Amino acid sequence: MSAVVRDMTPADIGAVLTIENKSFPSPWSRLMFEQEVYAESGRAWLVVEHDGVVLGYGGLALLDEAAHVMNLAVRADCRHRGLGRALLAHLARRARGMGARHLTLEVRERNRSAMALYEAAGLKTVGVRPGYYSETGEHAVVMWSDDITHPGEEARLEELWNRAELDLEAYPDVATGHSAPLVLGIETSCDETAAAVMRGGTELLSSVIASQVDFHARFGGVVPEIASRKHTEAIVAVVQEAMEEAGATFGDLDAIAVTHGPGLIGALVVGVAYAKGLSLATGLPLVGVNHLEGHIFANPFANDDVTPPLVALVVSGGHTSLVHVPEWGVYHTLGETLDDAAGEAFDKVAKVLGLGYPGGPVLSSLAEEGDPAAIDFPRAMLRSGDYAFSLSGLKTAVINHIRHEREAGREIHVPDLAASFQQAVIDVQVTKATRAAKELGVQWFCLAGGVAANKLLRESLHETLSAEGVRVSVPPLDLCTDNAAMIAAAGTWRFLRGERLYLDAEAVADLRLDADDASLKT
Amino acid sequence: MTRYALRTSAEEATVAAGRALAPLLQSGDVILLSGDLGAGKTCLARGIAEGLGVGHPVTSPTFNILLVHPGRVFMNHFDLYRLDSPLQLEDIDYWGTLEAGGVSVVEWGDRFAESIPEDRLIVAMTITGDEERLFDLDACGGRSERLASAWIEACSSIAGATLEGGGQP
Ligand SMILES: Nc1ncnc2c1ncn2[C@@H]1O[C@H](COP(=O)(O)OP(=O)(O)OP(=O)(O)O)[C@@H](O)[C@H]1O
Ligand SMILES: [Mg+2]
């Protein structure tokens, strides 16, 4: 497949900005590109694309008889292949069509390769604007072409285009897809302060979680629990640790991904503010990730062939959501808990049984020794016909059971109670998960979130869904609970899609998963 | 200080009591809910939210600590269960959020002496049967006392809710 040049559309701006940010010390903003692309007349903006990937772009504005080339850039790893010349030749063709007689532009005095390109296209230096680029104090070299409507000149530009195409044919592997960007992920949506570095969205170079490092020894600090202040204390060290472990510097990164919701606002803002600051200081593009989407993206770490359409069950201390994912980035929440989250129910029942808080994992291991049929706890919403969950009634049933047994002077058999409770939770989850997977006809089912570490839930889903011909994916154990690797993974995907957060972006405590795909489609 | 006691005989009566409280509330009001796991704090909060015109089911804020719901007046739904030190109140911007307005409903609201406002309305909920809950209202301060007595009056017409004894000034 060879490269093509076509008009730039608003959908290209994300990809264009990625190249822009890496090409120029003071890149254009999204708004500037939007104003150009949406301009009514007197503009021509083109992209050169290979296999759906934007490799370069350029644009001009017509002023009287001169077409001003306003911007032109080619992705760093695709330079010296004639793509810049191809773009320029096409722009010249457009300029001619718009009635221009000359091409003109300004170029940084130190940008020798750009000047060489323009000279090869027949532009000549006509003057200098001293100190034109204020950030560096560089002069601008003003270049001007001969009359492009002159037949000789026209032929020369055609030739330029032909050679460019030939050049590209000589390098058929120029852009076989996406490059493998290095992305830093940051997560502070609730209790954990975490950072991770990934290459290409698949290769995990580091994943640091504050509560899991010996912070006191290393940084003389405390482990963050709930608090935004604790996140603030930890974030710098956590990011530093992740960068060190990955053997990378900020200069090596291609993007920063951060959880911008949902979660506790005071915790979220710490990560978002830090990421924005880092983006501002380094010029790196910033990508926002929905925390629940992050959990789903923990699955490809265990199964690299997971692909939508799929159904995901995100079960954690704060969430119980069944989600249909027809394609990456598009989410339809099928149902959620109406009251307590599954992980919360585990932790609270553990507390009632005197196992401490949060005791969900302890409860699950005790359950292994108990009889799951000992007590017939209610299976709420099992036959509700929808995908909603309710766990508060089960919590209450356990509390009532304990009260009745005490009143009757009977001992409570904790393993039996734990096993019966767990079975009641899992029965409903598995039934609804299976029904959703069948109804939507998906090939894959992904479990995600802290409760995905529950052994019985994993096994039951495997058993039931496999029988239906649905493949089940569960994340690696250490990526079930909150972490930043999943944020880096989802962030890489969004980054490659051209998604960006801008500096006016804010953390959104109740960020919806479903709302996100609307913004993706712009 | 005023005390009232209210008994509900079903979950729906607790939700209805919450719904009856909502129209009496104004921005800045704080209701503290206390009582064991499963006492019905979230059920009562759900009723208040419904009455405030929140259009979606109110879920437990235990994990998230704070969930904000838009309504006629927005509702800050706090849950202090996971906090283990009053110092963390500052970390979650408890007072800042309360003072910034909206109606605030705080589960496990009497967990720390530091989380109780001066003018306070505490609803202490006890499990007295499978389907029965006893609410002890403890109101102290002008606003809270007026609120408690108006609420109790509004509850008199709720099926399944019975008032136990009168206010004791
Ligand atoms: N009269 C009643 N009023 C309220 N809830 C009742 C009543 N009778 C039974 N229940 C049941 O009690 C449970 C109350 O659960 P809820 O989650 O509201 O408690 P909570 O006090 O918020 O618990 P937590 O401390 O876990 O937050 C529900 O399952 C509800 O159905
Ligand atoms: Mg509750």
Side-chain angles (χ1 to χ4, degrees), chain A residues 114-127:
Chain A
M115 278 168 71
L117 161 68
Y118 299 134
E119 275 161 12
L123 281 85
K124 298 183 183 74
T125 301
V126 295

Side-chain angles (χ1 to χ4, degrees), chain A residues 348 392 395-396, chain B residues 8 11 14 38 40-43 107 131 133:
Chain A
K348 286 184 171 173
S392 153
K395 167 181 74 180
T396 312
Chain B
T8 63
E11 174 180 346
T14 299
K41 301 179 289 294
T42 304
C43 286
E107 298 194 34
E131 301 285 317
R133 302 291 187 266

Side-chain angles (χ1 to χ4, degrees), chain A residues 102-373:
Chain A
H102 300 278
L103 285 182
T104 177
L105 53 83
E106 284 116 16
V107 57
R108 284 169 193 276
E109 56 176 336
R110 281 190 224 124
N111 194 348
R112 296 280 165 216
S113 59
M115 278 168 71
L117 161 68
Y118 299 134
E119 275 161 12
L123 281 85
K124 298 183 183 74
T125 301
V126 295
V128 166
R129 292 188 217 279
Y132 183 76
Y133 297 100
S134 55
E135 343 73 63
T136 54
E138 266 177 282
H139 304 327
V141 174
V142 182
M143 301 182 81
W144 202 267
S145 76
D146 289 338
D147 187 344
I148 51 174
T149 57
H150 191 274
E153 192 63 10
E154 212 170 305
R156 226 172 48 74
L157 287 162
E158 280 307 312
E159 165 67 14
L160 208 65
W161 166 239
N162 291 336
R163 276 217 334 260
E165 260 180 336
L166 282 177
D167 280 356
L168 198 68
E169 290 298 314
Y171 297 92
D173 58 0
V174 165
T176 43
H178 307 307
S179 57
L182 194 68
V183 175
L184 167 68
I186 296 172
E187 153 71 34
T188 67
S189 69
C190 210
D191 297 3
E192 302 285 7
T193 315
V197 178
M198 280 193 94
R199 170 147 344 255
T202 49
E203 189 191 343
L204 186 60
L205 303 181
S206 66
S207 177
V208 176
I209 298 171
S211 62
Q212 286 171 5
V213 284
D214 187 352
F215 246 71
H216 208 79
R218 269 198 74 109
F219 304 108
V222 277
V223 174
E225 290 131 7
I226 272 158
S228 53
R229 180 169 52 82
K230 302 285 174 58
H231 283 298
T232 312
E233 283 168 9
I235 190 149
V236 176
V238 168
V239 169
Q240 189 187 323
E241 174 84 5
M243 294 301 293
E244 266 172 36
E245 245 179 61
T249 64
F250 290 140
D252 300 328
L253 293 173
D254 292 285
I256 305 161
V258 65
T259 308
H260 63 132
L264 176 61
I265 191 71
L268 283 167
V269 294
V270 176
V272 171
Y274 177 86
K276 282 204 272 190
L278 191 58
S279 165
L280 197 63
T282 56
L284 286 166
L286 185 62
V287 187
V289 174
N290 180 301
H291 182 75
L292 295 187
E293 170 182 49
H295 274 302
I296 296 171
F297 267 85
N299 274 284
F301 285 99
N303 302 282
D304 53 18
D305 50 345
V306 169
T307 42
L310 56 86
V311 167
L313 176 64
V314 187
V315 260
S316 67
H319 302 277
T320 304
S321 299
L322 203 51
V323 185
H324 178 215
V325 186
E327 57 183 279
W328 288 128
V330 179
Y331 305 98
H332 303 304
T333 301
L334 302 168
E336 292 174 286
T337 181
L338 301 172
D339 38 52
D340 295 1
E344 173 182 358
F346 271 90
D347 286 337
K348 286 184 171 173
V349 166
K351 173 75 181 174
V352 172
L353 290 172
L355 304 174
Y357 188 92
V362 182
L363 182 132
S364 297
S365 58
L366 271 173
E368 286 180 29
E369 298 147 35
D371 173 8

Side-chain angles (χ1 to χ4, degrees), chain A residues 191 228 344 348 403-404, chain B residues 60 62 81-82 88 91 130:
Chain A
D191 297 3
S228 53
E344 173 182 358
K348 286 184 171 173
R403 196 162 39 83
H404 294 154
Chain B
S60 166
T62 302
Y81 184 66
R82 299 197 314 125
Q88 291 171 334
D91 299 337
D130 284 4

Side-chain angles (χ1 to χ4, degrees), chain A residues 328-488:
Chain A
W328 288 128
V330 179
Y331 305 98
H332 303 304
T333 301
L334 302 168
E336 292 174 286
T337 181
L338 301 172
D339 38 52
D340 295 1
E344 173 182 358
F346 271 90
D347 286 337
K348 286 184 171 173
V349 166
K351 173 75 181 174
V352 172
L353 290 172
L355 304 174
Y357 188 92
V362 182
L363 182 132
S364 297
S365 58
L366 271 173
E368 286 180 29
E369 298 147 35
D371 173 8
I375 308 156
D376 186 21
F377 285 127
R379 268 74 172 153
M381 316 287 294
L382 189 61
R383 269 170 273 281
S384 63
D386 58 16
Y387 294 111
F389 299 92
S390 166
L391 288 122
S392 153
L394 179 56
K395 167 181 74 180
T396 312
V398 172
I399 292 167
N400 287 340
H401 175 84
I402 294 174
R403 196 162 39 83
H404 294 154
E405 293 300 289
R406 291 220 173 103
E407 278 166 15
R410 283 191 290 267
E411 276 291 306
I412 290 166
H413 192 278
V414 176
D416 277 358
L417 194 155
S420 302
F421 160 78
Q422 175 169 271
Q423 195 62 51
V425 176
I426 289 175
D427 277 356
V428 181
Q429 310 262 312
V430 171
T431 304
K432 298 218 169 190
T434 309
R435 188 151 52 79
K438 269 166 64 181
E439 201 168 288
L440 293 155
V442 296
Q443 310 264 301
W444 275 102
F445 182 88
C446 291
L447 189 57
V451 182
N454 184 292
K455 206 165 131 236
L456 187 67
L457 179 59
R458 290 175 169 234
E459 288 170 1
S460 308
L461 282 169
H462 260 296
E463 205 175 301
T464 316
L465 283 157
S466 304
E468 299 288 343
V470 179
R471 297 179 68 187
V472 177
S473 165
V474 289
L477 274 183
D478 58 331
L479 297 183
C480 288
T481 43
D482 289 355
N483 64 84
M486 65 189 200
I487 303 305

Side-chain angles (χ1 to χ4, degrees), chain B residues 58-80:
Chain B
V58 163
T59 56
S60 166
T62 302
F63 186 77
N64 212 69
I65 298 165
L66 168 64
L67 295 173
V68 181
H69 301 286
R72 170 178 66 78
V73 186
F74 68 91
M75 176 171 124
N76 299 312
H77 189 184
F78 271 107
D79 190 331
L80 309 186

